[in-house]
Amino acid sequence: MPWEPRPPPAGAAAASAERARRGGRSAVRGRAMWLKPEEVLLKNALKLWVQERSNQYFVLQRRRGYGEEGGGGLAGLLVGTLDAVLDSTSKVAPFRILHQTPDSQVYWSIACGSSREEITEHWEWLEHNVMKTLSVFDSNEDITSFVHGKIRGLIAEEGKDSFVREDDPEKFREGLMKFEKCFGLPEQEKLITYYSCSYWKGRVPCQGWLYLSTNFLSFYSFLLGAEIKLIISWDEISKLEKTSNVILTESIHVCSHGEDHYFSMFLHISETFLLMEQLANYAVRRLFDKETFENDPVLHDPLQITKRGLESHAHSKHFSAFFRLPKEESLKEVHECFLWVPFSHYNTHGKMCISENYICFASQDGSLCSVIIPLREVTGVDTADPATRGVSISTKGKTAFRFTEVKDFGLLVAKLRMKCNATASPQHIRSTEVAAGSAADSPKDFGAGQSKMGQRDNSKTVSTEALMTVYHPQDAENLDSKMLKEKMKEQLWNILFAERGHGVSMFRTKKTRDLVVRGIPEALRGELWLLFSGAVNDMASNPGYYTELVEKSLGTCTLATDEIERDLRRSLPEHPAFQSDTGISALRRVLTAYAFRNPQIGYCQAMNILTSVLLLYAKEEEAFWLLVAVCERMLPDYFNRRIIGALVDQAVFEELIRVHLPQLTDHMMDMTFFSSVSLSWFLTLFISVLPIESAVNVVDCFFYDGIKAILQLGLAVLEYNMDKLLTCKDDAEAVTVLNRFFDSVTNKDSPLPPAVQQGSNLSDTKSDHPKVDITDLIRESNERYGDIRYEDVESLRCRNRLYVIQTLETTTKQNVLRVVSQEVKFSPSDLEELYELFKKEHFLSCYWSVNSPVLQHHDASLPYLEQYRIDCQQFRVLCHLLSPWSHCANRDSLALWTFRLMDESSNCLINFKQFACVLDTMYNGSFTDKLKFLFKLHIPPAFTEVESLSPSKGDDLSKEELIHFSQLSVSSVGDNLESDYLKSSPEKGKGKVDIQAYLKQWQDELFKKEENVKDLPRMNQSQFIQFSKTLYNLFHGDPEEELLYRAIAVVTSLLLKMEEVGRRLQSPMSPVKSPVAVTEVAAEVPRERQEESSSEQTEGSRAQSLKGNHEWSFAFEQILASLLNEPAFVRFFEKPHDIKAKIESAKNLQLKARTRV
């Protein structure tokens, strides 16, 4: 069972501790174990040991006299006596494994065991995992070195597992210290566990340690003087799978950025792989799919993740999904036991699984017997026969469930009695109602734009009957042949209920599935859908919840309600129930209530079609809870903005086609055809492609078997049409074949009237395709593909989720690069590398923060350019890594001003296009472009006075100071811009995306005119002084540094004289003081490096004296014309810079930069 916790082996901790204390040689011989390799000379040992098995590299030996009839003769007797007289700590295990190399007389002991079965298990592990690998080495020394390293790693790992469970996990702390020392990650990075394994570099394995932490997969090896260090973040992994080939019997394959990595020779490869899969999916959900992640309190805090917590969370998730329980249920206990099956008169072996509110049982044999007992239904828990260790549970339905051979049955009975008392208490009922009320109040944004809709029917009267009973009442007196068959079906179900129970606690067996495959009777369909889906439990736990939602949601006006109104009359328009106001109003209430309950999903197309069918057979409140079960549990992530869940199941479907229908795979050149044609099958459960009377039979199977039923039916449809599909020349022809097939599917036993049946409305001209009965098709899908297990489907889902999300991310990247490439001169490869660095910096800020503001800004529904944005702190890090001017002394101020310049919308975030354009100016801009860029940095809105609060830091700014300065408003104009942005920004709307605002932004960008230098404002006196200081800082360290210093002094003097002459011409009578003070201030700047203290005083006094003078200002044209006269300036700004070298350096230093921050 996938949810069963793996208990620690008894005595493992003590045995491992003793073995660690003795350096690998343990006196505890209760089981086979690996030994620290020690040299053995066989010349004298052959008399004491007998060889049982051997190969080229290993020998398995048995102690002479052990396990032989008659004691093995005189030699055996002597050896036995020798072993007997030795004290207990020196006794020798009767079996051992030695390592040898060809043509060598030296052997190494590597394992020992107390029984043949135990040592054989170790022997087989060596044969399957190590033997084939050793053939790749060229020398015997390399083989021996590799084997020694592998065995030591296994010993350490065994010790590590047991020490972690102890109160003082010294071994784990030792591993943690190695992890921190080897990789230098931030101290917040939490190590989950580590394993000994081999990493394949080419065709040669490197023995080392694999470290699994919250955000990274890391590997370290140091062998024969060669060091290997590998760090892969989980969010970069696109493929994670277990594989095998000729050399590697079983290995774990990791693909990241198109590079393949293989890890093998794990002690417990399945456990390792499952943990890696959990961590990868955890990271992907947290970073890419925060909609579903935010509702998962167990994984919300990355600093609290543990190996045990992940395992427990996985078990609980599988448990609740298997039994269709509310997602909040967590698995508490698992007991192996027997359940008495009264109608079959035998005990079935299986596991009892207990959560907060449910007792569940699933058999492990082929009978497929399962039971769900809500504690709210339990009336008594008693001990049965103590001799059989029995537990008896009585329910309100007067059914008694008898479990036997239950370990600690007395303690279990006491626990269950306490649980039942707690469940029945008024406090529990009140808490349920409070939970329901709070859930209803949670979507605050939904009602932000409330308005009364006079045109709409706002009736809040909840329908208490299924629409089918209103529009197609059964005539009990006039029964035709189809109605007689329907009554026979009902009778079979009534017999089943009499035998196996009726209601949520009924026995579910193979016979139950057989009846579902034949089609549930119309009269029982709604009740059994509610039962098999688990929606009955949600409804029982939340009385009155739906009515409250209807009252709160109707009358609201959002994007979701607009879309609902548009689709209401497109939902089963041929059915009379939805040609009247009764059906339409019920459909509106259910869809609007769900959009109110779950605004993250809101409303998606296909929900209307599904809900229409649910309303036909279930009461309105029942239909709502069925919709909740489908959207939130049975088809997770199907109805969010990117339909990730549907795309994942499409990928699973493709894999199953490759396995079960290989000839079809060979014929189809592009597997995406199957995804495109089958998407509607999954989103609407075949309702959109099959006639309604046939589609409901598919829904029957879906509610009983889950997505497995849809996958099986999809395979059966393709196989049925195999011959025709193999002759198709293109996709269009294949689609036509499948459409004609679906039109020919009928339900010959359907009691629906001909006016409603879609299949019966086909004209005879289409009857050239043979009719296919839906019951036969479903039965065939079960017979041929029923061996597809639930666990296999969930495993495929996990594996393909990584691939699907990375594919969506690749699409986002390609669209962003296509847009940005038109604006910059970087090569496509350089631009792609810059995008990866930009996105990585975004994620690095999310790795170690519980409520990262950056993570909150990631929204996959936004335009591609806006999905990833960074704040000022992240931009500073990237500037330090990538800017050609990062050596500048006031680089923090430059980064701040650059960020403020790009942040046109004043929301303290910039996108990749803005980031790339700035870098393009620095690297590829002309002299004029770079100078204009620097000029704009020193005037509003970019420029702001910056002064660090910590004088010891000089020009460096702390993170808090940087964020503070980046948020300062320059003027009232900036405030107006910000408020205008908040009003017009598409993503800032409450519950409604403003499409018109997006179109306006796009239009403004298209028609943005080229900026004219004459439009630039003039630079005032203090800004010009800072501009001069920035130039001096940029020139520091340049080969022409002195020449540039003199040139800037000349230009500064010239500009001031020009300004003085201009002012005299404008007002010749006004007294103007000499501009020498300003010139001297500019000339003093380079000497600041030698005379820090004196220059600060001089600058401060002179700047103070200038405030009394008339303000000087300079136009950009003046500065440009003056600097063009200095060849040194032109050479400096036109000097090429190598962006490739910067990118490579940034890739190596980005993580270290984050560590320093």
Side-chain angles (χ1 to χ4, degrees):
M1 303 287 283
W3 52 81
E4 181 189 7
R6 185 171 62 86
S16 298
E18 179 67 10
R19 184 171 67 252
R21 186 178 67 81
R22 293 173 175 265
R25 301 284 297 183
S26 176
V28 181
R29 300 300 185 191
R31 60 191 180 96
M33 60 185 63
W34 304 105
L35 301 175
K36 182 179 178 181
E38 290 185 1
E39 189 175 329
V40 174
L41 292 176
L42 289 190
K43 183 177 181 181
N44 298 321
L46 289 175
K47 297 176 183 178
L48 302 178
W49 296 88
V50 178
Q51 182 170 303
E52 291 215 332
R53 300 171 73 170
S54 67
N55 56 40
Q56 189 177 4
Y57 300 109
F58 301 101
V59 177
L60 191 157
Q61 295 181 335
R62 172 179 50 81
R63 189 76 165 172
R64 190 178 293 277
Y66 183 85
E68 296 183 14
E69 293 184 7
L74 181 60
L77 185 60
L78 290 173
V79 173
T81 303
L82 179 66
D83 291 343
V85 298
L86 296 174
D87 69 13
S88 59
T89 60
S90 303
K91 285 183 179 179
V92 179
F95 294 94
R96 70 179 182 180
I97 297 175
L98 307 179
H99 164 59
Q100 65 169 353
T101 52
D103 305 324
S104 174
Q105 296 299 315
V106 179
Y107 287 68
W108 302 84
S109 62
I110 59 172
C112 67
S114 59
S115 70
R116 182 175 279 103
E117 291 76 16
E118 292 170 349
I119 202 69
T120 300
E121 185 179 341
H122 281 51
W123 177 268
E124 290 176 350
W125 190 91
L126 289 170
E127 284 190 327
H128 292 153
N129 293 277
V130 180
M131 274 294 298
K132 294 178 181 178
T133 304
L134 298 182
S135 61
V136 305
F137 291 101
D138 297 327
S139 68
N140 290 340
E141 290 78 8
D142 290 346
I143 291 174
T144 300
S145 177
F146 178 79
V147 171
H148 285 194
K150 185 68 210 171
I151 299 303
R152 287 192 180 96
L154 295 176
I155 292 171
E157 185 175 336
E158 282 186 330
K160 176 262 300 186
D161 282 343
S162 58
F163 273 106
V164 170
R165 298 187 184 101
E166 294 180 3
D167 295 333
D168 186 23
E170 295 290 341
K171 203 71 178 179
F172 186 80
R173 277 207 289 269
E174 181 183 332
L176 179 60
M177 289 175 64
K178 289 182 180 178
F179 170 71
E180 293 173 346
K181 180 181 178 182
C182 291
F183 303 104
L185 296 172
E187 59 181 13
Q188 303 101 311
E189 182 64 13
K190 183 178 178 61
L191 177 64
I192 305 299
T193 189
Y194 57 98
Y195 298 97
S196 167
C197 71
S198 295
Y199 171 65
W200 288 78
K201 195 171 184 182
R203 293 180 58 85
V204 179
C206 304
Q207 178 61 31
W209 290 92
L210 180 71
Y211 296 88
L212 306 183
S213 58
T214 310
N215 298 293
F216 298 97
L217 177 156
S218 312
F219 177 83
Y220 183 80
S221 172
F222 186 82
L223 198 62
L224 301 176
E227 183 184 53
I228 296 177
K229 189 184 295 185
L230 182 71
I231 302 177
I232 302 173
S233 57
W234 294 114
D235 56 84
E236 296 174 347
I237 295 177
S238 58
K239 183 180 288 186
L240 179 64
E241 60 183 354
K242 280 197 293 186
T243 61
S244 60
N245 54 40
V246 178
I247 297 177
L248 297 176
T249 305
E250 207 169 18
S251 64
I252 296 177
H253 172 212
V254 177
C255 182
S256 171
H257 290 303
E259 295 184 21
D260 294 311
H261 307 276
Y262 292 90
F263 303 90
S264 67
M265 283 178 274
F266 291 92
L267 193 60
H268 305 291
I269 190 168
S270 296
E271 173 194 309
T272 308
F273 176 74
L274 285 174
L275 188 59
M276 292 171 69
E277 196 173 55
Q278 286 175 295
L279 285 168
N281 276 283
Y282 154 78
V284 161
R285 286 180 60 204
R286 180 166 180 255
L287 299 174
F288 296 116
D289 193 20
K290 67 184 180 72
E291 288 182 6
T292 58
F293 185 85
E294 287 175 346
N295 298 325
D296 198 339
V298 178
L299 300 178
H300 190 56
D301 186 354
L303 301 179
Q304 302 302 320
I305 298 297
T306 63
K307 179 185 175 184
R308 191 180 296 277
L310 285 171
E311 290 175 348
S312 175
H313 181 266
H315 295 148
S316 295
K317 185 179 177 183
H318 288 154
F319 161 73
S320 59
F322 184 87
F323 290 108
R324 310 280 167 73
L325 302 179
K327 290 192 297 184
E328 299 77 25
E329 292 297 312
S330 59
L331 183 62
K332 299 299 183 183
E333 298 180 53
V334 176
H335 298 273
E336 195 165 333
C337 61
F338 289 86
L339 172 64
W340 172 249
V341 184
F343 49 87
S344 299
H345 304 288
Y346 77 100
N347 284 305
T348 180
H349 180 248
K351 289 185 173 64
M352 178 199 296
C353 307
I354 301 173
S355 66
E356 293 93 335
N357 300 299
Y358 296 88
I359 304 169
C360 304
F361 176 88
S363 64
Q364 289 182 320
D365 55 21
S367 66
L368 299 175
C369 174
S370 64
V371 171
I372 301 170
I373 310 172
L375 293 182
R376 65 177 183 273
E377 297 288 323
V378 175
T379 57
V381 181
D382 301 291
T383 56
D385 184 4
T388 59
R389 294 183 292 178
V391 177
S392 176
I393 300 175
S394 305
T395 63
K396 294 177 182 177
K398 298 182 180 179
T399 304
F401 298 91
R402 192 175 72 192
F403 300 91
T404 57
E405 301 301 326
V406 182
K407 187 178 180 181
D408 298 329
F409 69 102
L411 181 61
L412 178 62
V413 168
K415 287 181 180 178
L416 291 178
R417 282 175 177 170
M418 289 180 63
K419 278 180 173 287
C420 292
N421 291 335
T423 305
S425 68
Q427 182 181 359
H428 175 79
I429 297 171
R430 284 197 302 271
S431 66
T432 303
E433 293 175 351
V434 170
S438 62
D441 295 337
S442 59
K444 298 176 183 177
D445 293 346
F446 188 94
Q450 290 190 4
S451 66
K452 295 296 180 182
M453 300 172 290
Q455 303 87 347
R456 302 179 186 177
D457 174 24
N458 286 339
S459 172
K460 298 180 181 179
T461 305
V462 175
S463 175
T464 56
E465 286 187 286
L467 295 177
M468 194 64 75
T469 61
V470 177
Y471 287 90
H472 306 297
Q474 295 184 5
D475 188 352
E477 297 180 357
N478 301 317
L479 299 178
D480 56 13
S481 59
K482 289 186 177 180
M483 285 304 301
L484 285 173
K485 286 185 178 180
E486 188 74 5
K487 290 299 179 183
M488 290 175 62
K489 280 186 183 180
E490 289 183 29
Q491 187 62 28
L492 289 174
W493 277 96
N494 289 330
I495 294 171
L496 183 83
F497 294 150
E499 286 183 353
R500 291 160 169 77
H502 193 173
V504 67
S505 299
M506 68 181 291
F507 283 86
R508 306 177 195 204
T509 64
K510 186 176 183 299
K511 186 174 181 180
T512 314
R513 173 180 275 105
D514 292 340
L515 289 180
V516 171
V517 168
R518 293 173 63 177
I520 297 175
E522 300 275 312
L524 297 175
R525 187 161 268 142
E527 175 192 344
L528 292 178
W529 281 359
L530 206 68
L531 183 67
F532 295 145
S533 66
V536 63
N537 296 314
D538 294 320
M539 192 166 73
S541 301
N542 297 279
Y545 175 70
Y546 175 68
T547 305
E548 291 179 18
L549 274 187
V550 170
E551 291 176 355
K552 293 179 180 180
S553 61
L554 278 180
T556 59
C557 182
T558 65
L559 182 64
T561 57
D562 290 345
E563 292 176 345
I564 289 170
E565 287 298 318
R566 190 167 56 246
D567 288 345
L568 282 176
R569 306 207 176 258
R570 303 175 187 171
S571 311
L572 297 185
E574 69 283 347
H575 198 286
F578 298 100
Q579 295 169 359
S580 69
D581 187 62
T582 303
I584 293 294
S585 296
L587 182 59
R588 176 187 292 117
R589 287 192 294 269
V590 172
L591 291 175
T592 306
Y594 185 78
F596 189 90
R597 165 191 167 87
N598 192 343
Q600 290 177 332
I601 291 179
Y603 169 77
C604 294
Q605 286 189 342
M607 287 173 66
N608 61 318
I609 297 174
L610 176 61
T611 308
S612 300
V613 174
L614 298 179
L615 282 167
L616 289 178
Y617 294 97
K619 299 174 184 178
E620 187 175 319
E621 183 177 6
E622 295 172 345
F624 169 79
W625 287 113
L626 283 169
L627 183 63
V628 169
V630 171
C631 294
E632 298 177 13
R633 287 203 315 271
M634 301 188 72
L635 296 178
D637 302 341
Y638 261 60
F639 301 100
N640 57 20
R641 294 182 178 94
R642 296 195 290 178
I643 59 170
I644 290 175
L647 296 176
V648 169
D649 283 344
Q650 296 285 288
V652 172
F653 188 50
E654 286 183 17
E655 280 205 45
L656 293 174
I657 293 172
R658 292 188 186 97
V659 173
H660 295 279
L661 304 173
Q663 61 272 46
L664 193 59
T665 307
D666 296 339
H667 176 72
M668 303 298 293
M669 299 299 293
D670 186 5
M671 288 293 288
T672 56
F673 163 75
F674 298 110
S675 297
S676 59
V677 77
S678 65
L679 183 60
S680 62
W681 305 356
F682 289 86
L683 282 173
T684 66
L685 308 179
F686 282 93
I687 296 172
S688 63
V689 293
L690 286 175
I692 182 66
E693 66 274 11
S694 300
V696 290
N697 283 37
V698 179
V699 179
D700 294 342
C701 297
F702 168 75
F703 280 127
Y704 191 84
D705 273 332
I707 194 62
K708 174 176 174 285
I710 306 300
L711 294 167
Q712 289 176 180
L713 185 60
L715 291 172
V717 167
L718 294 179
E719 185 185 17
Y720 194 94
N721 294 276
M722 176 80 72
D723 295 338
K724 293 183 179 179
L725 290 173
L726 291 176
T727 60
C728 292
K729 298 180 177 61
D730 53 37
D731 291 354
E733 193 176 345
V735 170
T736 303
V737 167
L738 292 174
N739 286 340
R740 287 179 178 173
F741 169 77
F742 287 129
D743 289 340
S744 70
V745 175
T746 63
N747 186 350
K748 63 179 185 294
D749 296 331
S750 174
L752 292 179
V756 175
Q757 291 192 33
Q758 297 172 343
S760 63
N761 296 333
L762 295 174
S763 62
D764 294 335
T765 57
K766 295 185 179 180
S767 61
D768 55 332
H769 199 294
K771 299 295 182 183
V772 180
D773 187 69
I774 187 63
T775 305
D776 296 335
L777 187 62
I778 291 175
R779 183 183 295 111
E780 185 175 346
S781 73
N782 270 275
E783 290 173 355
R784 298 189 66 84
Y785 306 108
D787 58 342
I788 298 174
R789 300 184 310 147
Y790 163 79
E791 292 84 356
D792 298 332
V793 172
E794 287 303 308
S795 177
L796 289 171
R797 274 178 160 180
C798 281
R799 188 168 73 201
N800 284 284
R801 187 179 186 84
L802 296 175
Y803 167 75
V804 166
I805 288 185
Q806 292 296 352
T807 301
L808 292 173
E809 287 299 304
T810 300
T811 302
T812 298
K813 179 174 72 173
Q814 290 171 347
N815 282 282
V816 170
L817 295 181
R818 187 177 65 250
V819 172
V820 177
S821 62
Q822 301 172 9
E823 308 285 335
V824 299
K825 299 175 184 177
F826 291 123
S827 67
S829 59
D830 290 342
L831 193 61
E832 184 174 356
E833 295 278 15
L834 288 172
Y835 178 85
E836 294 295 343
L837 287 167
F838 182 89
K839 179 179 168 184
K840 187 69 176 178
E841 190 59 37
H842 170 95
F843 282 158
L844 284 172
S845 295
C846 309
Y847 282 168
W848 304 287
S849 176
V850 179
N851 296 310
S852 170
V854 180
L855 186 59
Q856 293 170 3
H857 290 299
H858 173 53
D859 187 347
S861 67
L862 295 178
Y864 292 120
L865 274 174
E866 303 301 317
Q867 287 187 19
Y868 293 109
R869 292 175 289 179
I870 59 176
D871 60 18
C872 192
Q873 163 61 19
Q874 297 165 295
F875 177 73
R876 172 172 67 171
V877 174
L878 288 177
C879 265
H880 290 181
L881 293 172
L882 293 168
S883 171
W885 303 335
S886 58
H887 64 278
C888 186
N890 64 332
R891 60 180 187 171
D892 280 0
S893 300
L894 277 181
L896 169 66
W897 298 331
T898 304
F899 182 85
R900 288 170 61 89
L901 179 65
M902 290 185 292
D903 185 20
E904 297 174 353
S905 52
S906 301
N907 63 347
C908 299
L909 294 169
I910 63 169
N911 60 35
F912 177 70
K913 180 181 176 182
Q914 296 165 319
F915 172 75
C917 288
V918 163
L919 280 183
D920 185 62
T921 300
M922 295 179 181
Y923 279 94
N924 303 316
S926 64
F927 173 79
T928 304
D929 293 333
K930 292 176 182 177
L931 196 63
K932 182 170 68 174
F933 171 68
L934 284 171
F935 182 88
K936 290 166 71 174
L937 292 186
H938 293 81
I939 57 175
F943 182 76
T944 183
E945 294 289 345
V946 175
E947 184 177 352
S948 176
L949 300 177
S950 175
S952 61
K953 288 187 175 182
D955 291 324
D956 293 341
L957 298 174
S958 68
K959 178 180 177 180
E960 292 72 20
E961 291 169 345
L962 195 72
I963 298 298
H964 168 72
F965 288 126
S966 68
Q967 295 173 345
L968 288 179
S969 297
V970 178
S971 63
S972 58
V973 177
D975 295 336
N976 293 335
L977 284 172
E978 182 175 358
S979 61
D980 291 344
Y981 173 78
L982 291 173
K983 292 176 184 176
S984 64
S985 177
E987 67 270 20
K988 296 293 180 182
K990 295 290 187 180
K992 191 169 184 178
V993 178
D994 192 346
I995 305 299
Q996 295 298 323
Y998 278 136
L999 294 174
K1000 187 176 184 307
Q1001 282 185 6
W1002 179 61
Q1003 188 178 28
D1004 290 344
E1005 287 188 8
L1006 285 178
F1007 295 101
K1008 189 182 290 182
K1009 64 177 182 178
E1010 186 69 27
E1011 187 178 46
N1012 194 320
V1013 293
K1014 294 183 179 179
D1015 298 331
L1016 292 174
R1018 297 173 69 86
M1019 181 180 284
N1020 67 29
Q1021 185 173 289
S1022 62
Q1023 293 162 1
F1024 179 72
I1025 293 174
Q1026 184 58 58
F1027 176 73
S1028 301
K1029 288 181 65 176
T1030 298
L1031 288 178
Y1032 280 117
N1033 288 327
L1034 287 177
F1035 300 152
H1036 179 62
D1038 191 87
E1040 296 185 316
E1041 181 176 3
E1042 291 301 325
L1043 185 60
L1044 288 165
Y1045 284 164
R1046 287 196 295 272
I1048 192 65
V1050 171
V1051 168
T1052 304
S1053 177
L1054 178 61
L1055 284 170
L1056 290 168
K1057 289 178 180 178
M1058 289 170 56
E1059 180 65 13
E1060 180 185 359
V1061 171
R1063 294 181 72 85
R1064 284 178 175 173
L1065 290 174
Q1066 289 178 1
S1067 53
M1069 300 302 294
S1070 62
V1072 180
K1073 295 189 178 181
S1074 172
V1076 176
V1078 178
T1079 310
E1080 290 180 358
V1081 169
E1084 282 285 337
V1085 176
R1087 288 197 288 269
E1088 287 178 3
R1089 309 188 191 281
Q1090 289 80 26
E1091 302 176 5
E1092 289 282 346
S1093 57
S1094 60
S1095 63
E1096 287 176 6
Q1097 297 173 359
T1098 306
E1099 183 180 331
S1101 60
R1102 288 176 179 170
Q1104 185 68 31
S1105 66
L1106 288 171
K1107 291 182 180 178
N1109 300 340
H1110 295 286
E1111 280 290 328
W1112 299 85
S1113 64
F1114 303 98
F1116 174 72
E1117 301 99 304
Q1118 293 175 291
I1119 297 176
L1120 175 64
S1122 302
L1123 292 177
L1124 280 173
N1125 289 326
E1126 298 294 332
F1129 274 118
V1130 179
R1131 286 196 300 271
F1132 177 83
F1133 282 108
E1134 291 188 346
K1135 181 168 55 178
H1137 296 279
D1138 186 7
I1139 184 67
K1140 292 184 183 295
K1142 277 284 188 180
I1143 289 174
E1144 286 303 315
S1145 174
K1147 287 161 65 177
N1148 296 325
L1149 297 175
Q1150 189 174 25
L1151 203 52
K1152 294 180 181 178
R1154 172 61 54 179
T1155 304
R1156 289 194 297 271
V1157 170

